[in-house]
Amino acid sequence: MNGNDMASKKIVFLTCHQKKEAVQDALSKSGFELETYDAFNTDSLGTFSGETKRQLSQMETALQKAQLACELTGSEYGLGSEGSFGPHPQVHLLPWNYEVLALWDRQNQHAIYAVHGTAETNFASQYVSSLDEALQFAKQVQFPSHGLILGSPSDAYFQKGIQDERTLRQTLSSALQASSRVWLETDMRAHMNPTRMAAISQASLKLSALLLSHCPHCQLPGYGLHKYIQGALCNTCGHATQRPKSEQWQCSKCRFTDEKPLHSHVSAAHCDICNP
């Protein structure tokens, strides 16, 4: 897969949750024609709501889906997506969404990952004891444009994909007859959550950029930022700071690396000596 042979390549996206619309525009700009394969139940690899525990890491699961797309369809290229939700990395009271897209090049046995993290998510959950509490929660999480899940997998009244108030009222009424309080959470599956779909779209833009960036050594795509190198010098005292002086780019296949300069000097505001 080099810059000359990437045009009109078919890639198969293994998804049951209508994610094609989020990624097809970006991938078409990098030379791929996108097809979906939905005959495999991706929920068998893990669910947000807890029916099935994910056995692999987020990155590994995304790659597994991409490889399955190749195995099940015979495609040379497969695409997998996996999301996760948790606390914000700095502000722990806020929610955070990580999205991973993995592309698998079967011929070259080459994986390319794009990762996008964002605080733009409606991820939330709480116990409710009345319809008023449920409707207040629903309003806060952008229901009905964003779906809800009522109950936990062990509950007889457990229901995913609630997208209208009538269904919410009916299921909640039934659930409150069996329990004094009921668990309510956002449905984070992509087809139930436009905000998450937007995050996947952002990840696809990063993947598209990686597909157009080729390693100077092996010529395969996916050559991109690996980490920042600290050490930009203070303009005032000349000591090294924690601010990055360069980017280290790396090929995910042959591991070729190169440094790209960023800032040789930064203001004293970023210096631990001048501004402790």
Side-chain angles (χ1 to χ4, degrees):
M1 182 169 57
N2 57 48
N4 296 322
D5 68 4
M6 198 162 58
S8 300
K9 292 291 185 182
K10 182 184 77 171
I11 184 168
V12 176
F13 194 1
L14 188 75
T15 177
C16 293
H17 298 147
Q18 303 169 23
K19 297 175 184 175
K20 180 180 179 179
E21 64 184 72
V23 306
Q24 61 181 351
D25 287 348
L27 288 179
S28 67
K29 292 176 182 178
S30 53
F32 280 98
E33 178 185 350
L34 187 66
E35 296 182 5
T36 57
Y37 183 82
D38 61 6
F40 180 88
N41 180 16
T42 52
D43 282 350
S44 66
L45 304 178
T47 58
F48 295 126
S49 44
E51 307 98 296
T52 305
K53 184 178 179 181
R54 190 173 65 197
Q55 299 299 314
L56 302 175
S57 71
Q58 183 178 2
M59 302 280 280
E60 291 169 338
T61 302
L63 179 59
Q64 183 182 27
K65 291 178 180 178
Q67 291 172 332
L68 281 168
C70 291
E71 293 172 13
L72 294 170
T73 67
S75 175
E76 286 299 312
Y77 305 107
L79 184 66
S81 165
E82 185 73 4
S84 66
F85 300 89
H88 190 288
Q90 281 84 40
V91 187
H92 297 311
L93 293 178
L94 296 177
W96 188 257
N97 172 206
Y98 273 113
E99 293 296 335
V100 173
L101 286 174
L103 182 144
W104 179 242
D105 175 353
R106 185 172 64 171
Q107 180 179 355
N108 291 296
Q109 295 289 289
H110 177 39
I112 301 173
Y113 298 95
V115 180
H116 180 69
T118 178
E120 294 295 324
T121 176
N122 73 327
F123 176 65
S125 59
Q126 73 172 59
Y127 280 106
V128 296
S129 301
S130 67
L131 176 61
D132 285 344
E133 285 184 9
L135 292 177
Q136 183 178 11
F137 174 80
K139 182 178 180 181
Q140 292 171 349
V141 297
Q142 304 176 62
F143 178 82
S145 64
H146 292 60
L148 293 175
I149 298 175
L150 188 142
S152 299
S154 59
D155 296 324
Y157 48 79
F158 176 62
Q159 185 167 335
K160 300 167 70 169
I162 300 173
Q163 286 189 293
D164 64 88
E165 186 174 325
R166 180 181 178 183
T167 302
L168 176 61
R169 288 174 177 270
Q170 290 176 341
T171 54
L172 182 64
S173 176
S174 176
L176 287 174
Q177 292 178 15
S179 177
S180 60
R181 62 177 191 164
V182 175
W183 184 252
L184 199 59
E185 66 180 84
T186 48
D187 194 330
M188 303 313 298
R189 294 175 298 169
H191 65 303
M192 290 285 161
N193 199 293
T195 300
R196 182 179 171 220
M197 198 73 88
I200 296 171
S201 182
Q202 289 298 309
S204 75
L205 295 175
K206 295 182 178 181
L207 180 60
S208 179
L210 286 169
L211 290 169
L212 296 172
S213 178
H214 291 74
C215 173
H217 182 68
C218 72
Q219 307 306 316
L220 287 174
Y223 184 62
L225 176 64
H226 176 59
K227 66 179 180 180
Y228 291 102
I229 307 297
Q230 297 177 344
L233 302 179
C234 173
N235 275 325
T236 301
C237 71
H239 281 85
T241 70
Q242 299 297 312
R243 303 293 289 180
K245 65 178 181 179
S246 62
E247 295 177 343
Q248 184 186 83
W249 283 38
Q250 185 177 82
C251 174
S252 58
K253 179 64 175 179
C254 73
R255 301 300 178 184
F256 172 83
T257 59
D258 188 24
E259 284 193 27
K260 297 181 180 293
L262 283 177
H263 312 287
S264 60
H265 291 76
V266 294
S267 76
H270 302 293
C271 178
D272 291 337
I273 294 176
C274 297
N275 188 32

